[in-house]
Amino acid sequence: MGSLSAHTVIRRADWMIGPETAPEAPRIVFEMECMRCDEASQASEEFEDVRDWAFQHVGRNPSHTGFREIIHRFWRATLLR
């Protein structure tokens, strides 16, 4: 039976990561999730939409007072050297 070998070369590089700033980059997207029943808002680029959903949800379910904010923010890694 022949031997199998692999050779890997890893080059040291410095990277920076930060929010995506390209004009065509997606906007930040917000969601809100109820911590009591896991029901969630629709995703929206407007925070006020998900905040309003939370107010409506707690209005219909007065014991559901805890929420988790979910933010989808797009990032870009850039090779420095």
Side-chain angles (χ1 to χ4, degrees):
M1 179 175 243
S3 67
L4 188 60
S5 66
H7 180 75
T8 302
V9 176
I10 300 174
R11 179 175 69 93
R12 169 138 169 82
D14 291 325
W15 290 86
M16 177 182 75
I17 190 165
E20 177 63 84
T21 59
E24 67 277 5
R27 292 184 55 197
I28 295 171
V29 177
F30 302 93
E31 292 182 67
M32 197 71 77
E33 181 179 80
C34 176
M35 298 297 294
R36 180 95 185 235
C37 71
D38 294 331
E39 190 173 328
S41 70
Q42 295 291 317
S44 176
E45 293 179 347
E46 302 299 328
F47 175 78
E48 291 76 13
D49 293 344
V50 301
R51 182 201 56 203
D52 292 348
W53 174 87
F55 286 145
Q56 292 168 6
H57 185 76
V58 75
R60 290 187 309 271
N61 307 280
S63 64
H64 297 206
T65 58
F67 295 90
R68 173 185 297 127
E69 179 185 21
I70 302 164
I71 301 173
H72 303 270
R73 183 172 311 198
F74 301 90
W75 293 75
R76 172 79 51 193
T78 305
L79 181 62
L80 297 176
R81 66 177 187 101

